[in-house]
């Protein structure tokens, strides 16, 4: 699928296996999510635009590339996406942070919005939407809908685990965005949880339930 990137780096695969383990506690889980986000972000930001700027080294003045354009926006889908914000900020400390608050109805699995606040001039920024889980795709589609409604044009979506159903839905609804997945899992179960998955990402990151 054009615009869809499934990670194959061994360190990402190894860390995702550790995340899946039910014995992995909250503290380690949170650290792993952040580390995976850094490794994935490095890949997802491979096409950042550059411009040559003048820099004086101790030896001479030269033209040398630096990232150009308006500051990047990282936009977590609350709550679980918060676990990947520092990953992008580690790579691009000047990035602005927006938030999209969505929760899945436990019965219908439909997303419900409760918050949306984005950096100004979102139309001029690369927006990196982060959420560890892409299950039915309802939340990701709704998050990208909001960002587009507010003017977002250049959008990347990063998730750690995707189900085939959600990946198809997001790609078909928003074929213009780039989608980065740490791993593509087998399927959804009857409760729309990803199998084998890692359980409820928000609960495992924040130690709730
Ligand atoms: C989880 C996850 C995604 C969503 C994915 O959030 O972080 O946002 O489910 O499911 P979908 O693809 O079927 O929409 P959840 O709604 O559980 O909220 P939380 O992060 O606050 O726990
Ligand atoms: N949200 C999660 O946190 N986990 C899933 O498997 C599906 C949705």
């Amino acid at each position: 699928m054009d615009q869809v990137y499934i990670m194959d780096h061994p360190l990402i695969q190894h860390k995702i296996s550790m995340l899946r383990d039910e014995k992995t506690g909250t503290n380690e889980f949170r650290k792993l999510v952040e580390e995976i986000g850094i490794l994935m972000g490095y890949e997802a930001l491979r096409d950042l635009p550059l411009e040559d700027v003048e820099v004086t080294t101790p030896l001479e003045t030269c033209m040398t590339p630096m990232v150009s354009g308006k500051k990047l926006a990282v936009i977590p889908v609350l709550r679980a996406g918060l676990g990947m914000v520092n990953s992008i900020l580690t790579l691009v400390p000047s990035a602005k942070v927006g938030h999209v608050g969505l929760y899945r109805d436990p019965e219908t699995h439909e997303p419900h919005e409760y918050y949306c606040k984005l950096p100004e001039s979102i139309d001029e920024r690369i927006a990196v939407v982060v959420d560890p889980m892409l299950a039915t795709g309802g939340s990701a589609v709704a998050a990208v809908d909001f960002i587009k409604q507010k003017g977002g044009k250049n959008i990347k979506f990063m998730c750690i685990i995707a189900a085939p159903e959600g990946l198809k839905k997001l790609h078909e609804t928003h074929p213009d965005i780039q989608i980065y997945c740490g791993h593509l899992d087998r399927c959804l179960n009857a409760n729309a949880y990803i199998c084998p998955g890692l359980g409820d990402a928000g609960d495992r990151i924040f130690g709730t339930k």
Side-chain angles (χ1 to χ4, degrees):
M1 271 188 275
D2 195 30
Q3 300 274 71
V4 174
Y5 305 89
I6 313 285
M7 303 290 125
D8 59 3
H9 196 289
L11 287 176
I12 296 180
Q13 299 316 310
H14 178 88
K15 288 174 193 289
I16 290 177
S17 299
M18 293 171 74
L19 267 191
R20 293 187 193 278
D21 191 334
E22 64 178 3
K23 294 194 290 299
T24 298
T26 302
N27 189 20
E28 193 186 358
F29 192 93
R30 212 183 280 137
K31 279 193 205 148
L32 285 164
V33 166
E34 188 171 330
E35 287 168 10
I36 293 165
I38 294 173
L39 294 167
M40 290 186 64
Y42 178 77
E43 200 53 41
L45 300 178
R46 178 176 283 286
D47 61 353
L48 280 186
L50 293 172
E51 69 181 338
D52 279 344
V53 298
E54 191 176 283
V55 169
T56 303
T57 77
L59 299 180
E60 59 180 276
T61 296
C62 63
M63 296 301 286
T64 188
M66 286 190 129
V67 172
S68 68
K70 257 220 173 331
K71 293 187 176 71
L72 199 101
V74 52
I75 305 173
V77 179
L78 306 180
R79 291 174 298 168
L82 288 172
M84 298 170 78
V85 172
N86 279 338
S87 315
I88 302 299
L89 292 178
T90 298
L91 297 169
V92 187
S94 62
K96 306 283 183 186
V97 183
H99 296 87
V100 175
L102 293 167
Y103 72 90
R104 280 199 329 177
D105 182 287
E107 302 297 324
T108 65
H109 311 133
E110 288 296 316
H112 293 273
E113 183 204 357
Y114 59 88
Y115 191 74
C116 183
K117 177 99 180 165
L118 303 182
E120 61 180 18
S121 313
I122 193 71
D123 54 317
E124 296 172 40
R125 302 179 190 276
I126 296 171
V128 183
V129 183
V130 291
D131 189 336
M133 308 305 275
L134 177 60
T136 64
S139 304
V141 165
V144 174
D145 282 344
F146 292 137
I147 295 164
K148 285 187 173 175
Q149 278 161 23
K150 305 253 179 188
K153 293 189 179 77
N154 190 347
I155 301 172
K156 295 171 184 279
F157 181 86
M158 257 176 57
C159 63
I160 294 179
I161 296 185
E165 297 88 331
L167 181 58
K168 184 168 182 287
K169 178 168 175 161
L170 181 59
H171 178 60
E172 288 181 356
T173 314
H174 293 294
D176 55 303
I177 74 166
Q178 294 161 314
I179 306 172
Y180 299 86
C181 310
H183 195 270
L184 184 59
D185 271 17
R186 196 178 69 249
C187 62
L188 295 176
N189 70 11
N191 291 324
Y193 270 78
I194 302 175
C195 296
L198 50 72
D200 188 301
D203 284 342
R204 294 196 66 187
I205 289 172
F206 295 108
T208 44
K209 217 174 218 173

